[in-house]
Amino acid sequence: MSPGVVDYLFRQLVAGKPAEDIEWQREGPALAEEPPGAELARRLGETELEALTPLELFEYVRAAQRLEEWAGRLREAAVELYCSPGRLPGGRPA
C-alpha cells in the first residue's frame, strides 16, 4: 500500500470512521454511479490517487474508462458530421 493509503486508513481508524472514502459520498454519487460527462471528468481530475484504497483505485479506473468511452462516442459523432458530404460550416446543408 502506498504511504498515502496507509496515512488515510490510520486517520480513519483513529477517528473511529470506516475505511471507505466518504468525501465522494458527500460530493454526490459514488464514482461508479456518476454518469459520464463533465462532472465525472472534474471529479477524476481532482482526485488524489495516492490517497485511494485499492478498491477505490479500481473504481477510479473503471470510471475513467467510462469517461473515455463516452468521449470517444462524442468524437465519432463529430467526425461523422464533419465528413458528411454537402455540409457547410455551422451545420447548414449545402
Side-chain angles (χ1 to χ4, degrees):
M1 264 188 228
S2 73
V5 172
V6 173
D7 182 54
Y8 172 78
L9 293 173
F10 179 74
R11 285 184 280 123
Q12 291 295 92
L13 178 65
V14 169
K17 296 179 181 177
E20 295 84 26
D21 183 1
I22 57 174
E23 287 302 315
W24 284 347
Q25 294 173 2
R26 290 183 189 147
E27 187 173 328
L31 283 181
E33 299 167 0
E34 184 76 55
E39 180 63 14
L40 180 58
R42 182 194 65 77
R43 291 178 67 189
L44 291 174
E46 292 178 355
T47 299
E48 184 181 337
L49 294 178
E50 293 79 20
L52 298 180
T53 64
L55 178 59
E56 291 166 345
L57 190 56
F58 179 77
E59 291 298 330
Y60 180 96
V61 170
R62 290 183 63 199
Q65 288 172 332
R66 283 195 331 275
L67 187 63
E68 181 180 17
E69 291 166 1
W70 174 79
R73 288 190 302 273
L74 292 177
R75 181 188 63 244
E76 289 170 7
V79 167
E80 183 179 323
L81 183 61
Y82 181 81
C83 293
S84 294
R87 301 287 296 180
L88 295 176
R92 299 177 313 236

